Amino acid sequence: MALPYSVPDIQDNPDGWGPCSVPEHLKDVPFAPFSKSDKLGKAADWTQQAYQRNQGRYGQQPGAVNAVFQFFHTEEEDSFHLVDNRPAKATRFGARRFPANRFAQQRREREAARAERERREGAAAPQKQQKRNPWQNMHWREQQRQQLQYSSSVDIRPEWAVKEQIPFQNLAKLNCSVGAPEDLHAAGSLEYYDKAYDKLTTRQEKPLVRSKRVFRSVSTSDDPIIRSLASEDAARVFATDAILTTIMCAGKSVYSWDVVVTRVGDKLFFDKREGGSLDQLTVNETAPEQVPEDKDNINGVQQLSLEATAVNRHLSQQLLAHDGNKFSLGNPNPFAGQGEELASVGYKYRRWSLNPEAGVDIVVRCEVDAVINNKGEDQLLAIKALNEFDLRATDWRKKLESQRGAVLAFETKNNLTKIAKWTMAALLGGAELIKLGYVSRAGPKDNANHVILGTQTSKPRDLAAQMSLSPDHCWGVVRALVDMLLAQPEGRYLLVKDPNKELLRLYAVPEDAFETNYVEEPLADADEVPAEAPAAADEAADE
C-alpha cells in the first residue's frame, strides 16, 4: 500500500536567493542584516532592557539597521565571582583577634606621618631620607672594618730608607718545591701526652692550671747550635720556625709584625726584635668583626694576645702525663739553666734546599711539644690552644658536643693566620698530629681563670687542605724574599707588615737601631734619598 506524499511548495526567486515573501508567522519580528564576518552577541532581545541598562554596550555603527545583536564586553562580567561552598577550615586557636591588615595599616600611617613631617621640613627632607636609605647600610660591617685603623708593630724612624715594597698580590702565585728536609741536630726531651683528656667533655670540664715551668724563646742569632752550624757553612739562610711561618703566612695576616734581617757576608739571619710581637698569639685576627685596639680592654687586641699566649703555654704542659717517662731527642736542651725546670719541648734543626742552582740552603730550628703513643708507635705531637673569650657569641659549652666540626671551622675562619702558622710549624718539625684544646674563660669578664672543655686531634696535612694552605706556596714566598735580600748589600734590614694595607716594606736600618742607646742619624738631603721609593719614605715619616 502506497503512502500519500505531497510535494512542498517551492518558490523560485529570480532576483537572488531566499524566499520571495515573508511568511505570516515571521511578520513584525526584529531583523538586522549582517555579513558572515560579523560577531553575534545575542540571538534575540525582545524587550531591549539590557540596552537601556548598559548604555554603550550595544553600540551603534554607521549603516546598521538595528544594533541589537552587536555585543561589546564592558564591566558587567567584572561583578561575577565564584562562590566557594566548601566548609571553612577550623583553626586551632579560633578566630583571629586582630584584623589581617592591621600591620599594613600601621605601616601606611607611619609612612604618611613621615611624608608629612618631611614635607614640613622642606629642603632638609631629602638629606634625612638619604640617611634612612637601608641599601646604603647593607655593608656596614665592611665599612666599619675599613674605618678601624691599627698601629704599627714598630716605631718607624724617618731616617730609615725604604728599599722595597711588596704587595700581597705579588706573592699570590709563588711556588717552590724544596723536597724532603735533612736533620742536622736534635735536642731536648719530650713528655708523653695524657690520653685521659681525650674523654673530656663540657660536662666534665677541668680548670686550667698555671704551669711554673720556664719557657725559652731564643732568637736565631742567639742560638748556640745555629751559630755552630753557621760557622761550619751548613747553609746560607738561618731562621726559627716561629719567624719562618710568619713569613710563609704573610698573605693571610692582618695585624702588623716585623722581622729583623741581618746579612753578614753571603749569609742571612732572620731574627725577632726584642720586645716584638712574634712570640704572642693573635685572637680573631681574620674575623669579620674587628677587635678593637684598646690596651685597657680585656677584649682588646693586646689583652687578648697576652691571654692567648699564656693559655697556650699552660695547656701544652697540663695535657702531659707527668709520670716521669720522657722521650729524649739525643742531646740536652741547649737553653737549660742551672736549677730551672724547663717546659717539655724538643728542638730539631733541619735543612732545606731553597735554590739548588745558586746553592742557597736554609736551616730552621723547629719545635715540637710532646709525644703520643699511637698503637705502640711514638709520634711527635704539637699541642695548641683555642681560647674562647666571647661566651655569648660562640657558646662552646653547648656546641662542642654536637657541632665540634662547625666550631673548628668557625675558629679557622676567625683565626686563619694563627692556625695556618701552627699547621706549617707542625709540618716543618715533622709532627704527625696536632692536638687542639678548647679553653674557655671561667666567666665572661674573667681573663685570668680558664677551663678546658675538650680536645680534638687533627693531622697537619688535613688542616692544610681544609684551609687551602699550600706548603709549596709558602716556600715560594720564602724563596722570593730570600732572593731579594741576598741582592741587597751587607747590613741590617727590617721587614714590616703594614698595619692597614696588604703590603710588606723592607727598611734599611742602622746596626744599633734596636739598642737602648740608639741615637737617631740626621736626615738625608733631598738628593740623597733613594729614587726607588721616595713616596714610601714620606709615608713612613708620616707614620
Side-chain angles (χ1 to χ4, degrees), residues 305-494:
S305 179
L306 295 175
E307 179 184 358
T309 304
V311 166
N312 187 72
R313 290 181 174 180
H314 298 330
L315 182 72
S316 65
Q317 303 305 307
Q318 184 171 346
L319 298 187
L320 304 178
H322 300 288
D323 55 359
N325 190 13
K326 294 185 178 182
F327 179 85
S328 177
L329 296 179
N331 295 283
N333 193 319
F335 314 119
Q338 186 176 2
E340 293 179 340
E341 183 183 4
L342 294 179
S344 173
V345 61
Y347 302 99
K348 298 176 68 176
Y349 297 82
R350 317 184 85 181
R351 178 170 58 191
W352 285 269
S353 178
L354 273 181
N355 191 353
E357 293 80 6
V360 179
D361 296 339
I362 182 172
V363 171
V364 184
R365 186 191 71 204
C366 308
E367 298 183 7
V368 288
D369 299 319
V371 176
I372 185 172
N373 188 278
N374 189 6
K375 298 180 181 180
E377 180 183 359
D378 292 339
Q379 296 179 344
L380 297 180
L381 180 68
I383 301 177
K384 305 300 178 182
L386 294 171
N387 60 305
E388 179 189 31
F389 68 97
D390 193 353
L391 277 61
R392 297 180 179 178
T394 53
D395 199 2
W396 286 358
R397 288 169 173 81
K398 292 183 179 180
K399 298 180 180 179
L400 272 181
E401 295 301 324
S402 59
Q403 305 176 15
R404 183 159 300 190
V407 171
L408 179 59
F410 184 76
E411 289 299 313
T412 304
K413 173 185 175 182
N414 293 342
N415 299 276
L416 183 60
T417 306
K418 178 172 64 176
I419 299 180
K421 292 165 63 175
W422 287 347
T423 304
M424 286 306 304
L427 293 174
L428 293 176
E432 288 84 357
L433 299 173
I434 297 179
K435 184 70 67 173
L436 296 175
Y438 295 94
V439 182
S440 178
R441 289 180 178 178
K445 297 183 179 180
D446 187 3
N447 63 343
N449 300 308
H450 301 79
V451 293
I452 307 174
L453 302 178
T455 60
Q456 183 174 351
T457 306
S458 301
K459 295 182 179 180
R461 295 200 175 274
D462 293 343
L463 277 179
Q466 294 175 9
M467 294 181 291
S468 300
L469 180 66
S470 173
D472 291 344
H473 168 67
C474 295
W475 281 112
V477 174
V478 174
R479 176 174 174 175
L481 293 178
V482 167
D483 293 343
M484 179 191 66
L485 290 167
L486 288 175
Q488 302 292 334
E490 293 189 32
R492 177 166 289 189
Y493 302 90
L494 184 67

Side-chain angles (χ1 to χ4, degrees), residues 242-255:
I243 299 175
L244 194 65
T245 54
T246 302
I247 297 176
M248 287 180 168
C249 304
K252 303 180 184 300
S253 60
V254 176
Y255 298 156

Side-chain angles (χ1 to χ4, degrees), residues 29-79:
V29 175
F31 173 75
F34 64 94
S35 62
K36 293 184 179 181
S37 61
D38 295 338
K39 295 182 180 180
L40 295 178
K42 287 186 178 181
D45 189 354
W46 303 105
T47 60
Q48 295 190 0
Q49 294 180 358
Y51 175 77
Q52 299 174 1
R53 182 172 62 252
N54 300 292
Q55 296 293 334
R57 178 174 180 179
Y58 306 97
Q60 297 284 344
Q61 290 185 358
V65 178
N66 195 345
V68 173
F69 305 108
Q70 298 179 6
F71 175 80
F72 297 96
H73 171 74
T74 55
E75 71 278 358
E76 181 179 353
E77 278 73 15
D78 295 342
S79 61

